Amino acid sequence: MYAIIATGGKQYKVSEGDVIKVEKIAGEAGDTVSFDQVVAVSDGSIKVGKDVASATVSATVMEQGRGKKVVVYKYKPKSGYHKKNGHRQAYTQVKIEKINA
């Protein structure tokens, strides 16, 4: 059984027991979160739309963190323009506990 959930502007295919990194959501390690934007659920047959309107996915927050640094370098030739910047995207690592379909 798997579900497709939407969070942080992205969609993730998850099964019970999966550990995934999603865009930062509120909560400390050990807290329980619920994803209510379920796009599809499959338990042999795929259900979408009104069939999954009340479906939720329960997960436990494992950690809050920041990803690897991405270097952003801007350069314009013949003008002496150089600009270097770095960015580390925040994420939340969650473990999928139960798919309530």
Side-chain angles (χ1 to χ4, degrees):
M1 178 177 208
Y2 70 87
I4 299 175
I5 60 171
T7 180
K10 299 179 179 81
Q11 294 180 354
Y12 301 90
K13 179 181 175 182
V14 297
S15 298
E16 291 181 8
D18 285 355
V19 176
I20 60 170
K21 290 182 181 179
V22 298
E23 294 292 322
K24 184 170 174 60
I25 54 178
E28 296 296 322
D31 289 352
T32 302
V33 294
S34 179
F35 299 105
D36 56 351
Q37 277 192 305
V38 179
V39 178
V41 174
S42 173
D43 54 355
S45 63
I46 297 178
K47 299 175 190 162
V48 294
K50 293 179 185 176
D51 296 336
V52 294
S54 62
T56 60
V57 175
S58 301
T60 303
V61 176
M62 295 182 70
E63 74 168 333
Q64 301 281 6
R66 294 174 73 196
K68 289 186 173 183
K69 182 176 278 192
V70 177
V71 176
V72 180
Y73 190 75
K74 297 178 181 179
Y75 165 75
K76 294 192 179 182
K78 302 177 187 165
S79 65
Y81 176 79
H82 299 269
K83 186 157 187 105
K84 185 177 179 181
N85 197 357
H87 175 74
R88 293 180 66 194
Q89 185 66 36
Y91 69 85
T92 301
Q93 187 173 10
V94 296
K95 181 176 182 181
I96 306 300
E97 299 295 336
K98 182 148 180 65
I99 298 173
N100 308 310

